[in-house]
């Protein structure tokens, strides 16, 4: 099993809808998780971090962490065409600070 | 702050040549990461440094790859000799070490080995 897994997509949602992005992780991954957004041809940029079980909201974004089921998700409310990008889930593995990324889910927000 | 600065932005070279990628982390950050990104394999961690010391280089694909961090403000990733399969985007990222560490990425170097 890969340490951090994501569905590659593309995930297509209409403008104004809620986009739901999911990520599962293995036992080797610690409990700090991050969501990065990467536009085509650009570098990843951090949009959310979550360390505790439950939900964390920031504007239109909500990160959810479920430690029992080993998954973390990102909800984007009122999706906009500018949200179209690849979303990368990341978590720390091992005892040292080794940030491991999933392969990313491509999101397309259609007009 | 100017962010993480990488150079060059693009590098085209021929198989067998030496390639050196450069990175200047954000001032005050004590950890530095080198990642490689391809369509097939996504974002792979090659090596990371903490306080200029290499902590984990298990992601370095083979002996042709080497990385150094002579001081807190500069790091290099060298490929010698380069091969076509090394073609990828190479990112450098820096952060403040810790379990809640947030990384900031440079713009990347697009490497093409012909």
């Amino acid at each position: 099993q890969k340490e951090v897994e994501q569905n590659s997509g593309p995930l297509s949602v209409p403008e104004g809808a809620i986009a739901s992005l999911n990520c599962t992780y293995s036992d080797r991954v610690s409990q700090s998780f991050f969501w990065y957004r990467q536009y085509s041809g650009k570098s990843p940029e951090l949009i959310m971090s979550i360390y505790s079980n439950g939900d964390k909201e920031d504007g239109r974004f909500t990160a959810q962490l479920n430690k029992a089921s080993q998954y973390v998700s990102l909800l984007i409310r009122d999706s906009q065409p500018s949200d179209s990008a690849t979303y990368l889930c990341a978590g720390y593995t091992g005892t040292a600070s080794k940030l491991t990324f999933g392969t990313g889910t491509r999101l397309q927000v259609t007009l | 702050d100017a962010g993480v600065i990488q150079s060059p932005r693009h590098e085209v070279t021929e198989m067998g040549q030496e390639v050196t990628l450069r990175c200047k982390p954000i001032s005050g950050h004590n950890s530095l990461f080198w990642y490689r990104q391809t369509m097939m394999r996504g974002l792979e961690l090659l090596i990371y440094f903490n306080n200029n010391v290499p902590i984990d280089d298990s992601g370095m694909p083979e002996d042709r790859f080497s990385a150094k961090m002579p001081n807190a403000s500069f790091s290099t990733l060298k490929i010698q000799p380069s091969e076509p399969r090394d073609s990828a985007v190479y990112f450098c990222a820096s952060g403040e070490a810790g379990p809640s560490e947030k990384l900031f990425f440079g713009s990347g170097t697009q490497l093409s080995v012909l």
Side-chain angles (χ1 to χ4, degrees):
Chain A
Q1 180 190 6
K2 289 184 180 179
E3 292 167 326
V4 179
E5 294 201 67
Q6 296 180 257
N7 187 317
S8 62
L11 173 66
S12 185
V13 300
E15 183 178 6
I18 296 175
S20 178
L21 304 160
N22 299 309
C23 170
T24 59
Y25 59 91
S26 73
D27 291 337
R28 295 187 297 276
V29 183
S30 68
Q31 305 299 292
S32 298
F33 295 93
F34 305 84
W35 283 99
Y36 285 77
R37 177 177 62 199
Q38 186 175 24
Y39 291 113
S40 180
K42 302 295 185 182
S43 57
E45 57 177 331
L46 179 69
I47 54 172
M48 288 286 288
S49 59
I50 185 165
Y51 313 123
S52 306
N53 222 18
D55 295 359
K56 179 182 178 182
E57 187 174 319
D58 183 2
R60 295 187 296 113
F61 298 97
T62 298
Q64 299 174 320
L65 176 59
N66 184 321
K67 296 179 182 180
S69 301
Q70 293 183 267
Y71 80 77
V72 57
S73 61
L74 179 69
L75 301 178
I76 306 174
R77 290 182 299 281
D78 188 23
S79 295
Q80 302 296 309
S82 59
D83 295 326
S84 298
T86 295
Y87 289 80
L88 301 162
C89 173
Y92 279 101
T93 58
T95 55
S97 297
K98 183 176 179 178
L99 190 62
T100 299
F101 285 82
T103 52
T105 298
R106 188 157 64 93
L107 173 66
Q108 294 176 335
V109 180
T110 58
L111 296 173
Chain B
D1 197 318
V4 177
I5 300 173
Q6 289 187 248
S7 64
R9 288 295 307 274
H10 303 275
E11 176 79 31
V12 180
T13 190
E14 292 186 346
M15 183 174 62
Q17 296 298 306
E18 177 179 298
V19 175
T20 299
L21 311 181
R22 297 173 177 80
C23 175
K24 175 179 169 56
I26 292 173
S27 177
H29 283 183
N30 54 7
S31 64
L32 183 140
F33 298 72
W34 282 100
Y35 285 90
R36 175 173 69 176
Q37 188 173 41
T38 61
M39 288 293 292
M40 291 296 294
R41 301 174 67 89
L43 204 57
E44 301 175 281
L45 178 63
L46 300 177
I47 184 170
Y48 75 94
F49 296 83
N50 188 15
N51 293 322
N52 312 338
V53 176
I55 303 300
D56 187 336
D57 65 354
S58 60
M60 297 285 261
E62 47 197 276
D63 292 346
R64 298 184 298 107
F65 286 69
S66 62
K68 294 181 179 180
M69 192 165 185
N71 56 62
S73 59
F74 184 66
S75 177
T76 59
L77 177 67
K78 185 177 293 186
I79 308 173
Q80 166 63 21
S82 58
E83 297 183 2
R85 60 192 168 120
D86 301 330
S87 298
V89 179
Y90 290 80
F91 287 106
C92 175
S94 72
E96 298 171 350
S100 60
E101 181 171 18
K102 303 171 185 177
L103 295 190
F104 296 84
F105 283 78
S107 300
T109 295
Q110 174 73 62
L111 174 64
S112 298
V113 183
L114 306 177

